[in-house]
């Protein structure tokens, strides 16, 4: 099941000049931060340096991004909006695994370019301090997904919430395994295809 198009949340254009200006400034800051992280290392790059090379004050930078980690991860609110909308919009007959796959494919499509995605995942998986922050974000996404996914698990008896939590956690673990494998392959192939292999492995 291939994702045919990006979610409207990922593609809709901002409506005002202020929104477009803010989006452009945000993108320029992110691109500067990513370049410095790749050149110098995440831990060795300071927020002050990113602000200076982006041509903004630190105060302005923190209005766009709450933490240094957000400068690598991008707009987490946007990622969640795409994930939530895509999962919610899947056909009634789609099961939990299918809606999660569709959601992951839509979020992966939000990355500005293949090279930026590879740089981000490489830094994420090879920087211990970043992995800790990503784990926290991932757990919060998982919990927010539970009520959206639970009706699609078919777990009518026993403990449906525990069943759903196991499915969602396993799907995210497969996404992690897929992105790590993609980094090991220097960006060859598609993360979503590797995800399919990982899911097939755990589902037997």
């Amino acid at each position: 099941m291939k994702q045919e198009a990006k979610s409207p949340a990922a593609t809709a254009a901002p409506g005002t000049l202020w929104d477009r200006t803010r989006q452009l400034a945000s993108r320029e800051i992110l691109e500067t931060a990513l370049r410095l992280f790749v050149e110098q290392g995440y831990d060795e790059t300071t927020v002050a340096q990113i602000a200076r090379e982006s041509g903004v004050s630190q105060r302005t930078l923190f209005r766009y991004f709450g933490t240094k980690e957000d400068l690598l991860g991008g707009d987490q609110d946007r990622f969640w909006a795409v994930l939530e909308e895509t999962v919610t919009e899947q056909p009634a007959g789609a099961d939990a695994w299918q809606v999660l796959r569709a959601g992951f494919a839509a979020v992966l499509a939000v990355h500005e370019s293949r090279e930026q995605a590879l740089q981000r995942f490489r830094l994420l998986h090879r920087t211990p301090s970043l992995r800790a922050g990503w784990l926290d974000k991932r757990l919060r996404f998982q919990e927010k997904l539970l009520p959206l996914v639970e009706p699609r698990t078919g777990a009518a008896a026993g403990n449906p919430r525990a069943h759903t939590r196991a499915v969602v956690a396993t799907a995210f673990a497969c996404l992690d395994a897929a992105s790590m494998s993609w980094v090991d392959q220097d960006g060859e192939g598609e993360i979503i295809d590797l995800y399919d292999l990982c899911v097939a492995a755990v589902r037997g």
Side-chain angles (χ1 to χ4, degrees), residues 12-126:
T16 68
L17 177 60
W18 168 252
D19 288 334
R20 291 193 296 273
T21 301
R22 182 180 175 85
Q23 187 178 64
L24 179 60
S26 174
R27 183 179 298 117
E28 290 178 352
I29 293 169
L30 279 173
E31 289 175 352
T32 300
L34 184 58
R35 174 177 59 80
L36 292 171
F37 292 155
V38 170
E39 291 174 356
Q40 303 176 168
Y42 173 81
D43 291 325
E44 291 74 20
T45 301
T46 66
V47 171
Q49 183 182 13
I50 295 168
R52 183 172 61 252
E53 297 209 14
S54 300
V56 299
S57 67
Q58 290 189 60
R59 183 176 180 180
T60 297
L61 186 149
F62 281 122
R63 282 206 298 266
Y64 289 102
F65 303 96
T67 69
K68 183 181 174 183
E69 287 179 7
D70 291 340
L71 288 162
L72 177 70
D75 188 342
Q76 295 298 314
D77 289 340
R78 183 185 181 202
F79 289 159
W80 168 249
V82 171
L83 182 59
E84 179 184 34
E85 183 174 343
T86 304
V87 167
T88 303
E89 288 182 343
Q90 294 310 297
D95 66 18
W97 292 101
Q98 290 170 325
V99 301
L100 288 168
R101 183 196 188 277
F104 292 157
V107 171
L108 289 170
V110 171
H111 288 283
E112 290 82 1
S113 71
R114 189 182 190 88
E115 181 58 29
Q116 282 194 7
L118 179 60
Q119 290 173 336
R120 283 195 174 109
F121 279 118
R122 185 178 285 136
L123 285 163
L124 173 64
H125 291 307
R126 296 178 180 176

